[in-house]
Every structure is written in C-alpha cells, then in structure tokens.
C-alpha cells in the first residue's frame, strides 16, 4: 500500500511539473491566431465585440447589425489588409437620413483610414451598396467600424468588404471588375448645350413627337432627375408630363454615377465618337468634351472608375489612326487631363484605353493601320483593350480574315455580342465562342472581357421588330452571366448603361404603361408579363458583379428580386 501511495505522489509531482513547464512555454510562445483577409466579404454580424447595437434577420439572408445610434461601434480582431486597401464596400439600409461609417484601426479613436457616407434608402431592409476610399490600411490590425450621425437609429449594416489597390502583375481597375458602357449623348432643347436641340431622343433637332420623330426604344424612369425637359409627346399614363433628361447636365451625369456606386457597378467605359485631326471647334465636339469632363467629375465624386473607349464607327478611313492619336494627345491628355484623374482606370499600373470597332467588316481600317495605333498606345505605356467582332478568333462573319495578329497584340479582348443571339442561343454562344475565346486568350497571355446585355430592340429607330431580343425579366442577362462565371471568368462588360436608343439600358426605366406617353410605343420593363422595378437591371448588374467576384454562389436562377 505504501509503495502505491508513494508512486502516485511521484506521478502527481511529475504531472504538476509538466503542466508548469507547458504553461511557461505557452506564455512565451508567439500568437498562432490566424488573421482574416480584409478582402473577403465579411458579415457585420460576425464581430468580435460591439457597443450599442443589436442583430436582426435580413431580407437578403443572415443577420444584419441594427439599432445603430451615434457613437455605436463593432470590432473585428486580426484583420489582414495585406499590402494595402484602397476602398471599402458596405451593404447598408436606412429608413432615416443615414449617417457615416468611420473605419478606424486598433482602437475606437485610432487611425481614421476612411469614411463611408450612408444615405437614406427608403427602408430598413432597402439595401444598397456604398463605397468609400481607404488610405493607410496595410498589415494586420484590429478593425473598428464606428457609426456617427444624428439622433435616433441611423442605418443597418449587412456586410463589408475592402478592395486592394492597383499593383503590377495583374492588379488594377479593369481585370476582375464589371464596367458598363456609357454613352452620355442625349441633349434637349434648353439644356445650354451648343448643340441647341434634341439629340438622340429624336430623329432631328426638334422635340420627340408621335409623328414619327422618336429615335429611342426604352423610356427612362424620370422620378429622380432634378432637371428635365418637355417633349411634344402626350402625358404619361399616370398623367405627368412627358419629359426627358439631358446628358449635358452635370446633375444627370452625377445621378448616373451615383447609381453605379449604389448598385455595385465598378465603372464606366466612356464612349468617344468622331475623333478628328482638326482642332477647329464645332458644337458637337464642344458638347462631347464637356460631357467627358462631367463624367470625370462624377466618377471622382462617387468613387467609380472610367476609361475612354474610342468608337471608330463612321470615321474617315483615310486618316482615322492619326485622328485618334491627335485627339488622345491634344484633347484627352493635354486639354481635359482625363488620365490624370484619380478616377481614371489603371491596369497593371498602366493607363487604360479601348479602341472599339477594329477588325469589323463594316468599320474603317486595315490590319496594318490598327496594328500601328495599338503599338503607338502601348509604346506610351498604355494598356489597350480591343472592342472586337464576335468572330474575331475565326476571322469570319463580322470579322475580317487578316486581323488575328492584330487581336493578339492587344492587352485585353472584349468581343461584341449584342444582338447576336436570344435566350435560346445563350448556351450555344458559350460553347462556340466564350469557351474557345477564353482558351485562346489564356494561351496568348491576353485578358478577356466578355460582353453581356439585358436585351435588345430598336423599332422606333429602324422600324424593325418590337422587343426583338426580350429581356425575359432578367433571365436572359443572368444566363449570360451564369455562363461567363461557370467558365471561371471574373471580368465583364455590360452593354449598356444608358443606351435607351437600342433598348439595352440598365439604368432606371419605365416599369409599365403608366410611365410612358399614351400616344407612342415604347418598350417597358413588364413587356414579357412580369412586373419588375425600375431599378431591377441595376440591382441585377450589382448581383452579377458579386457573382463574378465570388461573393455570392453560382446559381442557375438569379438571386435578384423583381421588386
């Protein structure tokens, strides 16, 4: 018995000593807590600590941070910002006037690296994505999101995500992002433009009327514009006057870029038509350049990116290359200083430009001329995107046969696909174009930016079929995005943001007949019998962007509610 007791005492002593040694070792060991990436979408409800807030169920799934008052905050430990973040996206909703989210490091009153302004959204579950610039966040930190504003509940927060800054070797503002083409070409009589009349809305400079003087297909939703102009069309079905906006107004451009920010569209490809060698001013060029500067202003204010897209359609075949070179140097760079803007897109550290129309059978330019222009841009350290034909790779149908080496010289290829197929042709397009295009570009070290569109029609402009390629209440556009993402592609281009002429606009549009003139046909968003909200295609585009970025799962049916 004695030996048993002594033996157990020795074991107890040994265990105690081992525990002491282990405790000392642990106390001096480095931390093994892993850091969470700042660049992953993070649920606000997953905080490590908080003050003043509560959680509630969200209509978008999961729980959101709610009952936020001035001075409340949430804390996230061990957040890894890597080599640096340059912006933050937040998913917010407010039935009041909103407030601000201060992004601070390591303490409640620590380094302020950014602030996001949160607006009223019209409801506690009316979600929008807002963005703000971030500066000075790198490495691992404790993250504080501090909420400030007026009295009472300010807003709800569902998730946040930081975005990395531009770096070499694939980083930048275009690859992995979603852009929308921006026309900015609408004028109205009385808008102060040197054009002095109605442009693109009508077939001539007089006001759109039901006597055949209508040039556009899809009627815009006008409820949020601060400046509108009276047409000669009958009142809308709801009794309000039939008015239209002008792209010449800074307020209009601001509203469009505000929507890009609110609905999670990364930026705009600014369409630029009619480059010339001559510097002789004319009304159209003055209008075009004025809108370009307004795009720059709006992109800077709403933290969106933009780049110039030269459309060579209709240019003089004898001097189009010199015209583009002259316009870029004289107007874009020296006069308007667009590439110097903080909002101008960079890719791999290079200024971005797109040349749209090279290689098309019905556009100007030989292969040698196109190669010369691409080389000229690239020799200046510019990243060149080519807006190319659908059949660029095979050199037939809409593409000239001798342009393959020209296409291979581009930094990014963006084949045009609008009007090429309807719903029943989406999968065929994936198999015969998208997949082999992607393989070719990967093998040749070229970035790939596929195009998607919500639908297409231009009966008012051309007299052709109404609702020619139906939108199918979002199913058509989502199916294109689904196929793009299923191939592993994370970059996209939406045609277009404000193209009401050809019925491809994703900007807010008339929901039904109550929002269009009673004496003229226009396409409405309920044309296929399903009612969708005026902002549905903006919301759908935002979800497509999240899909491409891997922030939401790949699903056959779109996650965007129709209302």
């Amino acid at each position: 018995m004695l030996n048993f007791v002594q033996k157990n005492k020795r074991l107890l002593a040994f265990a105690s000593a081992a525990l002491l040694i282990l405790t000392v070792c642990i106390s001096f060991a480095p931390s093994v807590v892993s850091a969470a990436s700042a660049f992953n979408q993070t649920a606000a409800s997953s905080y490590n600590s908080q003050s003043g807030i509560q959680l509630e169920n969200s209509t978008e799934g999961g729980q959101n941070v709610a009952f936020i008052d001035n001075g409340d905050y949430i804390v996230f430990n061990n957040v890894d910002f890597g080599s640096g973040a340059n912006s933050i996206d937040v998913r917010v909703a407010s039935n009041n006037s909103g407030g601000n989210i201060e992004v601070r490091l390591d303490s409640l009153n620590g380094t302020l690296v950014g602030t996001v302004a949160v607006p009223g959204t019209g409801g506690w579950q009316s979600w929008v994505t807002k963005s703000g610039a971030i500066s000075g966040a790198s490495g691992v930190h404790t993250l504080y999101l501090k909420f400030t504003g007026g009295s009472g509940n300010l807003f709800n927060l569902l998730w946040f995500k930081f975005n990395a800054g531009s770096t070499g070797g694939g980083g930048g503002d275009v690859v992995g992002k979603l852009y929308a083409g921006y026309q900015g070409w609408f004028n109205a009589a009385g808008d102060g433009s040197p054009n002095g009349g109605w442009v693109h809305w009508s077939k001539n400079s007089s006001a759109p009327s039901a006597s055949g003087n209508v040039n556009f297909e899809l009627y815009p939703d006008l409820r949020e514009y601060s400046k509108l102009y009276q047409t000669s069309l009958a009142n809308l079905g709801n009794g309000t006057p039939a008015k239209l906006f002008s792209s010449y107004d800074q307020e209009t451009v601001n509203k469009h870029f505000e929507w890009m920010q609110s609905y999670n569209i990364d930026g705009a490809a600014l369409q630029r038509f009619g480059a010339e060698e001559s510097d002789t001013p004319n009304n159209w060029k003055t209008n075009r350049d004025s809108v370009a500067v307004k795009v720059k202003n709006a992109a800077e204010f709403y933290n969106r990116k933009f780049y110039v897209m030269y459309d060579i359609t209709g240019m003089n075949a004898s001097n189009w290359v010199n015209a583009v070179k002259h316009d870029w140097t004289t107007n874009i760079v020296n006069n308007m200083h667009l590439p110097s803007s903080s909002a101008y897109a960079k890719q791999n550290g290079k200024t971005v430009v797109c040349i749209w129309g090279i290689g098309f059978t019905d556009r100007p330019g030989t292969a040698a001329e196109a190669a010369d222009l691409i080389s000229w841009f690239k020799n200046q350290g510019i990243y060149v995107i080519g807006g190319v034909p659908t059949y660029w790779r095979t050199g037939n149908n809409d593409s000239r046969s001798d342009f393959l080496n020209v296409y291979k010289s581009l930094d990014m290829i963006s084949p045009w696909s609008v009007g090429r197929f309807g719903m029943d042709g989406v999968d065929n397009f994936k198999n015969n174009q998208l997949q082999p295009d992607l393989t070719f570009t990967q093998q040749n070290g070229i970035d790939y930016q596929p195009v998607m569109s919500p639908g297409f029609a231009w009966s008012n402009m051309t007299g052709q079929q109404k609702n020619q390629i139906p939108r199918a209440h979002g199913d058509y556009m989502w199916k294109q995005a689904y196929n793009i993402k299923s191939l592993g592609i994370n970059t996209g281009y939406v045609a277009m943001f404000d193209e009401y002429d050809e019925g491809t606009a994703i900007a807010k549009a008339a929901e039904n007949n109550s929002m269009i003139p009673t004496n003229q046909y226009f396409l409405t968003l309920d044309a296929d019998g399903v009612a969708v909200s005026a902002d549905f295609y903006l919301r759908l585009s935002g979800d497509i962007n999240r899909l491409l970025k891997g922030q939401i799962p790949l699903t056959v049916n779109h996650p965007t509610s129709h209302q």
Side-chain angles (χ1 to χ4, degrees), residues 418-419 453-457 467 469-471 476-477 480 495 502-505 537:
V418 178
S453 64
F456 173 82
N467 201 16
I469 298 179
R471 294 183 170 222
Y476 174 65
M477 188 169 171
Q480 295 170 70
E502 299 178 5
T504 63
Y537 286 92

Side-chain angles (χ1 to χ4, degrees), residues 125-182:
Q125 294 293 316
S126 297
W127 296 100
V128 300
T129 301
K130 305 300 289 185
S131 301
I134 297 293
S135 178
S138 62
V140 179
H141 295 274
T142 301
L143 170 66
Y144 283 74
L145 297 183
K146 181 179 180 180
F147 310 121
T148 62
S151 59
N153 295 153
L154 303 178
F155 51 85
N156 291 341
L157 174 63
L158 182 59
W159 55 256
F160 64 91
K161 176 183 178 294
F162 290 87
N163 303 296
S166 298
T167 59
D173 299 323
V174 181
V175 174
K177 304 295 170 64
L178 182 71
Y179 276 70
Y182 191 74

Side-chain angles (χ1 to χ4, degrees), residues 355-358 360 386-390 392 398 407 410 413-417:
I355 311 166
W356 193 94
I358 54 174
F360 281 82
V388 302
T390 303
W392 65 276
D398 60 349
Y407 300 140
L410 293 161
I413 282 180
S414 185
W416 189 245
S417 59

Side-chain angles (χ1 to χ4, degrees), residues 26 29-35 78:
I26 291 174
S31 172
V32 294
V33 177
S34 61
N78 296 297

Side-chain angles (χ1 to χ4, degrees), residues 534-548:
D535 70 344
F536 171 72
Y537 286 92
L538 289 170
R539 292 189 288 112
L540 182 66
S541 297
D543 282 337
I544 288 172
N545 197 6
R546 280 180 275 277
L547 175 71
L548 296 180

Side-chain angles (χ1 to χ4, degrees), residues 484-496:
I484 288 168
K485 181 62 177 179
S486 71
L487 295 174
I489 301 168
N490 65 355
T491 303
Y493 180 95
V494 175
M496 302 286 241

